[in-house]
Amino acid sequence: RKEVEQDPGPFNVPEGATVAFNCTYSNSASQSFFWYRQDCRKEPKLLMSVYSSGNEDGRFTAQLNRASQYISLLIRDSKLSDSATYLCVAPQMGGGADGLTFGKGTHLIIQP
Amino acid sequence: DGGITQSPKYLFRKEGQNVTLSCEQNLNHDAMYWYRQDPGQGLRLIYYSQIVNDFQKGDIAEGYSVSREKKESFPLTVTSAQKNPTAFYLCASSIVAGGYEQYFGPGTRLTVT
């Protein structure tokens, strides 16, 4: 049983376009969600936290749909530097102290 | 400058040798974690620690051991019993255990031949 599922991509998107990808989760009791960005051969870095219906930070918007149990990440006016893998993260099933479950990531390639 | 450090960045070992990966944080976080990442795979939890002198097995603890003698430090030993030790190892911390943001160190890439 997969707790966090993402489309692995790759998503090939022209520079300046808007791109969105979704992530589904299993734990209906989850209260908090996160999007991380991971560059090739680097550590994941926190991009956004989502605690209610959504969050916006500049060109990035995360939205939470609790009824359908998915969260989305929208990137507007995409830049070449946005090319990375985006990891969707939700709390572990059962809310245990072991923390978070990471999706396998969606690979995004912004093309000039 | 607060953060998490891991050393070394690259590590090469011969099969059959134990190796210890370092993880230090100065964020004053109570909880610390070790993950393993293989190519094309998600992060898999090896061990975690909620507080000093306490740690718990994660999903893939076999062949690994940890200690948490100080709040700042959570070293991971990859033993010879680990069948496929070559991987990217990531250490993380969070303010407390549970569903809170985790912050990662730069990782150690271990190659065992």
Side-chain angles (χ1 to χ4, degrees):
Chain A
R1 180 187 56 186
K2 294 183 179 172
E3 296 176 20
V4 177
E5 289 199 55
Q6 297 182 249
D7 182 342
F11 283 56
N12 289 282
V13 175
E15 191 177 8
T18 295
V19 59
F21 26 84
N22 290 343
C23 158
T24 58
Y25 61 92
S26 302
N27 185 2
S28 59
S30 296
Q31 296 295 314
S32 56
F33 302 87
F34 310 97
W35 282 102
Y36 281 75
R37 171 197 170 121
Q38 187 173 23
D39 293 292
C40 187
R41 301 176 71 82
K42 299 282 191 179
E43 76 274 24
K45 293 189 176 176
L46 182 65
L47 180 66
M48 298 185 77
S49 303
V50 186
Y51 293 107
S52 57
S53 60
N55 193 6
E56 185 172 329
D57 183 6
R59 298 183 295 109
F60 297 83
T61 300
Q63 291 188 317
L64 171 62
N65 184 316
R66 289 191 189 276
S68 301
Q69 293 187 209
Y70 74 84
I71 57 174
S72 62
L73 180 67
L74 179 82
I75 305 174
R76 290 181 296 276
D77 186 25
S78 54
K79 312 289 184 193
L80 294 176
S81 57
D82 293 333
S83 297
T85 297
Y86 291 84
L87 308 178
C88 173
V89 185
Q92 286 275 34
M93 291 289 287
D98 48 343
L100 306 175
T101 296
F102 287 77
K104 292 184 179 181
T106 296
H107 188 38
L108 175 64
I109 301 170
I110 305 299
Q111 296 174 328
Chain B
D1 218 10
I4 303 177
T5 57
Q6 290 185 245
S7 61
K9 192 170 181 179
Y10 298 96
L11 191 53
F12 298 88
R13 279 292 183 269
K14 294 287 187 188
E15 200 173 311
Q17 293 179 331
N18 291 356
V19 60
T20 297
L21 311 184
S22 165
C23 177
E24 303 276 331
Q25 55 99 359
N26 61 4
L27 300 168
N28 200 32
H29 285 174
D30 280 330
M32 296 186 74
Y33 310 82
W34 273 105
Y35 294 91
R36 167 185 175 135
Q37 189 175 38
D38 295 282
Q41 300 293 314
L43 275 68
R44 292 186 289 169
L45 183 66
I46 304 172
Y47 267 98
Y48 66 98
S49 168
Q50 298 181 63
I51 202 164
V52 175
N53 292 322
D54 178 71
F55 49 83
Q56 306 294 330
K57 293 182 179 180
D59 301 318
I60 55 164
E62 187 175 346
Y64 299 98
S65 65
V66 293
S67 63
R68 187 87 187 276
E69 296 176 4
K70 298 187 299 182
K71 187 175 186 177
E72 303 79 17
S73 180
F74 191 40
L76 172 75
T77 297
V78 184
T79 75
S80 56
Q82 168 47 234
K83 291 184 173 25
N84 295 297
T86 295
F88 187 38
Y89 290 88
L90 289 156
C91 179
S93 70
S94 62
I95 190 163
V96 292
Y100 295 93
E101 295 95 334
Q102 293 182 14
Y103 298 90
F104 287 83
T108 292
R109 202 163 291 276
L110 174 65
T111 302
V112 176
T113 57

